[in-house]
């Protein structure tokens, strides 16, 4: 009886729903010039990158399949969870250069693995588990493209700190406008 409960719990884990899909564009100019696979979400939206649109008439599937709303975890071995939408889209285009095959590791949203990065990052997982490793990948990729900033804002009579993330270009623009955005850097 206990082994059946463990088996049911293991079957519900998102790793059991991972799919590897290999696609090649049938468009002469390749995926980089077409809109065969459109990525949505991304760290800039606080989401995992996910499949937004698919033009099936321009893709040749060697294995697997794609569905709108599938979460994209890897593209040709590069872990993309925590990257911005543009970075993932550009990486797909780069991998598809000269009509080369693209290996997408994707998973359907399920249980606690949804589009929401913040929700997933706020969960506590055992160190060394696949979920903990995915959280680390997200954090590593997130810090590649963003700068964590703390700012003070008043709430009633108390002051609270809140951490937000700026894209580097936005931070540089703010620094150009104000000249004194950062008060300290750790």
């Amino acid at each position: 009886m206990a082994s059946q409960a463990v088996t049911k719990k293991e079957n519900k884990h998102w790793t059991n729903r991972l799919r590897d899909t290999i696609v090649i564009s049938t468009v002469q100019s390749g995926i980089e010039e077409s809109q065969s696979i459109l990525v949505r979400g991304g760290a800039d939206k606080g989401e995992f990158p996910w499949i937004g649109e698919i033009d099936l008439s321009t893709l040749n599937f060697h294995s697997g399949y794609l569905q709108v709303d599938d979460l994209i975890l890897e593209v040709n071995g590069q872990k993309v969870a925590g990257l911005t939408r543009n970075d993932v889209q550009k990486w797909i285009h780069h991998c598809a250069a000269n009509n080369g095959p693209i290996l997408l590791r994707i998973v359907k949203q399920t249980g606690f693995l949804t589009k929401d990065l913040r929700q997933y990052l706020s969960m506590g997982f055992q160190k060394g588990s696949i979920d903990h490793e995915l959280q680390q990948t997200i954090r590593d990729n997130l810090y590649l493209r963003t700068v964590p900033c703390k700012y003070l804002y008043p709430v009633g009579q108390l002051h609270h700190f809140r951490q937000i993330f700026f894209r580097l270009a936005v931070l540089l623009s703010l620094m150009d406008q104000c000249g004194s955005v950062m008060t300290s850097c750790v």
Side-chain angles (χ1 to χ4, degrees):
M1 188 78 150
S3 65
Q4 284 180 333
V6 171
T7 303
K8 282 184 179 182
K9 186 176 182 180
E10 288 174 359
N11 286 339
K12 289 184 178 184
H13 196 265
W14 61 266
T15 54
N16 293 320
R17 291 183 173 84
L18 275 175
R19 296 192 317 270
D20 287 336
T21 299
I22 300 174
V23 296
I24 295 178
S25 175
T26 59
V27 177
Q28 190 65 23
S29 59
I31 288 179
E32 65 274 6
E33 296 294 323
S34 73
Q35 299 297 316
S36 300
I37 301 172
L38 288 179
V39 176
R40 297 284 187 245
D44 44 341
K45 303 278 189 212
E47 298 177 336
F48 280 91
W50 49 278
I51 304 287
E53 294 178 35
I54 311 161
D55 184 355
L56 296 174
S57 66
T58 62
L59 295 173
N60 184 5
F61 288 83
H62 285 272
S63 68
Y65 60 95
L66 295 175
Q67 290 182 318
V68 171
D69 289 337
D70 282 343
L71 304 179
I72 307 169
L73 299 180
E74 291 182 20
V75 178
N76 280 14
Q78 173 70 40
K79 295 178 180 181
V80 298
L83 292 180
T84 65
R85 185 198 65 79
N86 278 343
D87 288 339
V88 177
Q89 191 75 63
K90 285 178 184 177
W91 182 243
I92 288 173
H93 291 171
H94 172 77
C95 293
N98 301 319
N99 287 355
I102 303 170
L103 171 61
L104 296 163
R105 177 158 282 178
I106 53 180
V107 65
K108 184 177 180 152
Q109 296 181 67
T110 179
F112 57 84
L113 188 64
T114 64
K115 292 177 187 175
D116 191 352
L117 276 180
R118 287 168 277 204
Q119 174 192 350
Y120 188 74
L121 286 172
S122 69
M123 299 174 130
F125 296 108
Q126 184 176 357
K127 208 170 195 171
S129 70
I130 192 79
D131 290 298
H132 185 262
E133 289 176 21
L134 181 56
Q135 283 181 328
Q136 271 314 117
T137 296
I138 294 166
R139 288 184 183 104
D140 292 345
N141 285 342
L142 185 64
Y143 285 119
L144 285 175
R145 291 292 185 189
T146 59
V147 178
C149 299
K150 289 186 179 179
Y151 70 93
L152 183 67
Y153 67 100
V155 177
Q157 297 297 324
L158 303 174
H159 292 287
H160 295 278
F161 283 98
R162 179 176 178 202
Q163 186 167 343
I164 60 172
F165 293 90
F166 288 114
R167 292 205 51 168
L168 187 55
V170 171
L171 180 65
L172 293 175
S173 171
L174 286 171
M175 289 176 69
D176 285 344
Q177 291 172 10
C178 302
S180 61
V181 172
M182 280 195 212
T183 56
S184 67
C185 188
V186 179

